[in-house]
Amino acid sequence: MNVRVLHIELRRSGAPWAGAVVLTSALAFLYLVDAAWWWGTTAWTAQWTPLAMWTRSLLFYLWPLAVGLGALQGLRDHRSKMSELLTSTPRPAWHRAATLAGTTAITLASAFALLVLVGAVQVLANTGYTHLGWLPISLVGALFLVSGAVLGMGAGRALPSALTPPALAMSAFVFTALMHMSLGRTETTTATGIATTEPNRVSLLSPAVQEVHDVLVTLSASVHVGQTIWLLGMAATGFALLVAATPRARLIALTPVLAGALIALLVLPSDPRRMYVVDEAAAELVCDGPVCVTKTHQARLADLAGPGKEALRLLHGALGGRAPVSVRENTAVLPEGSMPQWSRETVLFDFDDGVIAAAKGEELTRALIAKGMVPGCTPVGWSGFGGDEYAQTVAAGWALGDLRPLPGMESAGVRREVDAATRPVWKELKALERAEQLSRINAMRAAALSCEGDPFDVLSGGASR
């Protein structure tokens, strides 16, 4: 297809409108909805991998839209009543099919590329860590749009009815919904007895990905390979349906998509921990003495190193030989609902933790001391406020000599709640002999690090005697 043919096809087809709809609806969704893609280290404009993952997650509705728009394109000859005339021309049917499919593929791929480019410009301004590990995620996303549109074209040509485009779009949307709500999820029970669900290999046939919860998580290579096989089969079936002229040929045209799905399911991983994996290069540690962050956040090390070293010095003065000796960004990625795992020798933190995210300078030192004393035992993916935060407040106050709310507790209501819960315990603790104070603090840390028992209850004396 030369440039002249492409130009003519763009003028006479609805392909440019399809690309415009995909691009504008995606940007409107991202910019008009204040949701998780704007928050913390996993914001879609913060790092490269979250950019790719969040734009892929939009395929939850963009892919059904592409399928429906493709079917509308496939009805063009039927609507113009030119089918018989075109079949009588000497030009091969696959030439016409390639022109139609190629034009739509170019516009949809360009629209998705522009969407990624809008985020990429902002990512460049927000991070110093550049890599290409995110590129396969976006390339497969663009292939999903192209393959879905080509399949829709073929179906529209094979079933020339005004009901075909909306029916296909709705069927595709139901498919993506089922992949993420029931058919693509397997119920599991964590070691602590908490029931949760995890994706299975069938869910990877869907174009969308899970919501981004960790900046270090990416898709494995086997996922990219399996999805590419599935999509090539889908595109081949769509193209074959565009060319097919008999019912028998249309039936045979279904072979590639079925074979692609079967082969893809053999290639795609069955273990959720092999689907969404840690990017080892991004998780590599960059250190300033005992204070370390991942390569992804290496630009933050300069601001963290001073407060981190000061926190270790103060913890050593308060705890002696039991104090942690390093501060490190937490790189562990655990299944949702599982209990976090902590170290006695290392203060593990997360930049998305509310206390750490709200702290700067001296307040960051207090926040790191609090995390070193009581890391927190809320199950992964859950949220809450209560005993852990109260224990952190008292423990950090004990190490620093003054009781103050932790960073992130700015609202008057939260401050009053924390003060009412912690001040009596603080006064009782400070009234004890130094040896008894240290005994309670050590018992509290043991409960906090093992996630067995309530650290605040231990600190109050409820489980220390």
Side-chain angles (χ1 to χ4, degrees):
M1 182 169 56
N2 57 40
V3 176
R4 180 173 174 272
V5 172
L6 174 62
H7 180 68
I8 293 173
E9 188 64 25
L10 286 173
R11 289 175 58 189
R12 67 190 293 263
S13 75
W17 291 105
V21 168
V22 167
L23 177 60
T24 55
S25 63
L27 289 175
F29 198 80
L30 285 171
Y31 280 96
L32 298 181
V33 179
D34 184 17
W37 49 79
W38 286 112
W39 304 339
T41 61
T42 58
W44 80 291
T45 58
Q47 299 287 344
W48 292 103
T49 300
L51 164 67
M53 296 288 276
W54 279 121
T55 49
R56 268 289 296 274
S57 70
L58 295 180
L59 296 185
F60 185 87
Y61 79 91
L62 288 180
W63 184 71
L65 185 62
V67 173
L69 291 171
L72 196 61
Q73 284 280 83
L75 290 176
R76 187 180 65 182
D77 293 345
H78 176 75
R79 292 197 309 269
S80 59
K81 301 180 180 179
M82 294 177 56
S83 300
E84 292 185 7
L85 175 62
L86 291 173
T87 55
S88 65
T89 61
R91 187 184 181 191
W94 71 268
H95 279 194
R96 297 192 303 273
T99 302
L100 178 64
T103 304
T104 303
I106 290 171
T107 55
L108 287 177
S110 299
F112 192 74
L114 285 173
L115 172 66
V116 174
L117 181 61
V118 170
V121 172
Q122 298 173 80
V123 171
L124 280 172
N126 291 331
T127 182
Y129 176 59
T130 303
H131 63 102
L132 295 178
W134 62 275
L135 197 54
I137 304 173
S138 293
L139 290 176
V140 173
L143 186 57
F144 258 111
L145 285 177
V146 170
S147 299
V150 174
L151 181 65
M153 288 180 207
R157 180 70 62 84
L159 302 170
S161 167
L163 297 177
T164 299
L168 281 177
M170 183 55 66
S171 298
F173 183 78
V174 170
F175 172 77
T176 59
L178 289 176
M179 288 300 100
H180 289 271
M181 292 172 58
S182 56
L183 295 180
R185 308 291 297 185
T186 301
E187 185 171 334
T188 60
T189 303
T190 65
T192 56
I194 300 174
T196 184
T197 62
E198 293 182 315
N200 56 42
R201 73 175 74 192
V202 177
S203 70
L204 298 175
L205 297 180
S206 168
V209 296
Q210 288 196 128
E211 193 170 299
V212 186
H213 293 294
D214 196 301
V215 70
L216 300 177
V217 171
T218 187
L219 291 170
S220 66
S222 57
V223 172
H224 299 319
V225 173
Q227 289 181 336
T228 300
I229 293 171
W230 155 240
L231 294 175
L232 291 177
M234 185 189 300
T237 287
F239 191 79
L241 287 173
L242 274 174
V243 177
T246 65
R248 184 170 180 271
R250 294 186 183 108
L251 191 61
I252 294 175
L254 298 177
T255 302
V257 70
L258 296 176
L262 179 60
I263 297 173
L265 289 174
L266 295 176
V267 173
L268 293 170
S270 58
D271 186 351
R273 280 157 288 282
R274 291 177 52 228
M275 300 175 190
Y276 295 88
V277 298
V278 174
D279 185 339
E280 298 295 341
E284 184 180 338
L285 294 178
V286 179
C287 300
D288 182 344
V291 181
C292 301
V293 300
T294 61
K295 187 176 287 186
T296 299
H297 295 130
Q298 58 188 353
R300 298 193 179 195
L301 181 58
D303 294 331
L304 182 74
K309 293 173 183 177
E310 179 66 9
L312 291 176
R313 185 187 69 81
L314 292 169
L315 283 170
H316 180 75
L319 300 174
R322 291 175 174 264
V325 295
S326 63
V327 174
R328 178 168 61 83
E329 183 179 354
N330 194 1
T331 59
V333 178
L334 302 175
E336 185 174 352
S338 60
M339 296 303 292
Q341 299 173 2
W342 305 116
S343 167
R344 185 179 295 275
E345 290 78 24
T346 303
V347 178
L348 295 173
F349 72 94
D350 191 320
F351 282 113
D352 281 330
D353 182 276
V355 175
I356 299 295
K360 293 181 180 179
E362 293 183 1
E363 288 299 295
L364 183 54
T365 298
R366 179 179 289 271
L368 289 171
I369 290 174
K371 299 301 291 185
M373 290 286 204
V374 185
C377 289
T378 303
V380 176
W382 294 28
S383 61
F385 186 88
D388 282 345
E389 288 72 24
Y390 299 156
Q392 287 175 346
T393 301
V394 175
W398 178 80
L400 293 170
D402 64 328
L403 183 68
R404 295 200 333 240
L406 295 175
M409 301 179 181
E410 287 83 7
S411 70
V414 172
R415 284 177 176 270
R416 284 194 298 269
E417 178 186 343
V418 172
D419 189 70
T422 59
R423 192 158 296 278
V425 177
W426 159 263
K427 290 181 178 179
E428 179 185 348
L429 181 66
K430 294 296 288 183
L432 299 174
E433 296 291 334
R434 176 67 184 181
E436 180 63 19
Q437 291 180 27
L438 189 58
S439 175
R440 284 202 188 182
I441 291 292
N442 287 331
M444 176 209 67
R445 284 196 75 217
L449 292 169
S450 65
C451 289
E452 296 178 359
D454 184 343
F456 189 60
D457 185 50
V458 173
L459 196 58
S460 304
S464 62
R465 297 170 183 170

